[in-house]
Amino acid sequence: NLFYALAWSPDGERLAVGTSKHGVQIFESKTYHQPWIGYECLTWIRRVVWSPDGMLLAGGGDDGIVYVWDATDGTLRHQLAGHNSMVVSLAWSPDGTQLASGSRGIDGGELFIWDVKNGYHLRVMENHAGIVYAVAWGTNEDILVSGDDDGILRWWNVQSGECLLVRQAHMNRIQSLSRSPDGTKLASCGNDGAIVIWDLQSGEHLQTLRRDRPYERLNITGIRGLTEAQKQALRILGAIEDVHM
């Protein structure tokens, strides 16, 4: 049995763990006693997220199902089925009434919105080229941001399903998204080793944080004898080139 996902409850009193064989396990932080274990799903749980009020726990399974438990006693509330592949990202809306889940679809990525109270599917956000590895809500239930394995961020209007903004954020997979506590900024990180800070409302790029790559700030402008493929490789490793010269 392997442990894969971790999440503290909002009050810091409980730790949820996603496992490879035994659903989810809950530990009390002071005694490490296990008040309940979610044995109902015999699948790998890759993501676990608590609702904002700490009353519900959601887990994303390799079987394409989103499981929702009552966090007080472990009663399984919902099995939200619909994804074609493993659920790799989950996020609760700020008011705890909706849940976003990301996966791999037949022709690209899948991003679903669920009504958690009634346990049904509300909306599909389409046109993801790659797997939806990361999702984050705005300051309310109207805006959702998704990150694909092609490095693209998309801002969505949840009510209409319209894609509002598209930003090339990373050179490949976006691994995680995090909203700042005041709701004004969004941070994204990817396999390219960068952390990018965005204005959450406008989608404006604010800052990129990264440790220096092997050729960081090496100016290759005007250097002869390099193929375009070699130049691209150097740019990936931090080199710069003025293409207007």
Side-chain angles (χ1 to χ4, degrees), residues 189-230:
C189 68
N191 284 359
D192 57 0
I195 299 170
V196 184
I197 311 299
W198 307 86
D199 184 294
L200 182 54
Q201 185 65 29
S202 67
E204 177 189 359
H205 170 263
L206 299 176
Q207 190 174 7
T208 297
L209 311 174
R210 69 162 81 242
R211 64 182 181 183
D212 281 356
R213 295 164 290 181
Y215 296 101
E216 201 72 49
R217 294 177 294 279
L218 172 66
N219 194 332
I220 59 173
T221 303
I223 294 180
R224 297 180 180 180
L226 293 176
T227 66
E228 187 55 40
Q230 290 171 328

Side-chain angles (χ1 to χ4, degrees), residues 101-158:
S101 58
S103 180
R104 180 203 303 270
I106 297 174
D107 298 317
E110 291 180 338
L111 177 58
F112 289 177
I113 308 296
W114 306 90
D115 179 312
V116 180
K117 180 179 179 181
N118 299 300
Y120 64 79
H121 178 241
L122 281 175
R123 184 165 282 105
V124 179
M125 307 305 192
E126 299 178 326
N127 300 321
H128 290 87
I131 304 170
V132 181
Y133 273 99
V135 286
W137 292 81
T139 53
N140 55 43
E141 291 68 52
D142 295 332
I143 300 297
L144 183 71
V145 184
S146 64
D148 296 6
D149 65 353
D150 57 2
I152 292 178
L153 285 179
R154 290 177 172 87
W155 274 253
W156 301 91
N157 181 305
V158 175

Side-chain angles (χ1 to χ4, degrees), residues 78-112:
H78 301 295
Q79 297 184 62
L80 306 175
H83 282 293
N84 287 285
S85 182
M86 66 180 71
V87 179
V88 293
S89 57
L90 283 174
W92 288 92
S93 63
D95 66 357
T97 64
Q98 299 176 67
L99 190 63
S101 58
S103 180
R104 180 203 303 270
I106 297 174
D107 298 317
E110 291 180 338
L111 177 58
F112 289 177

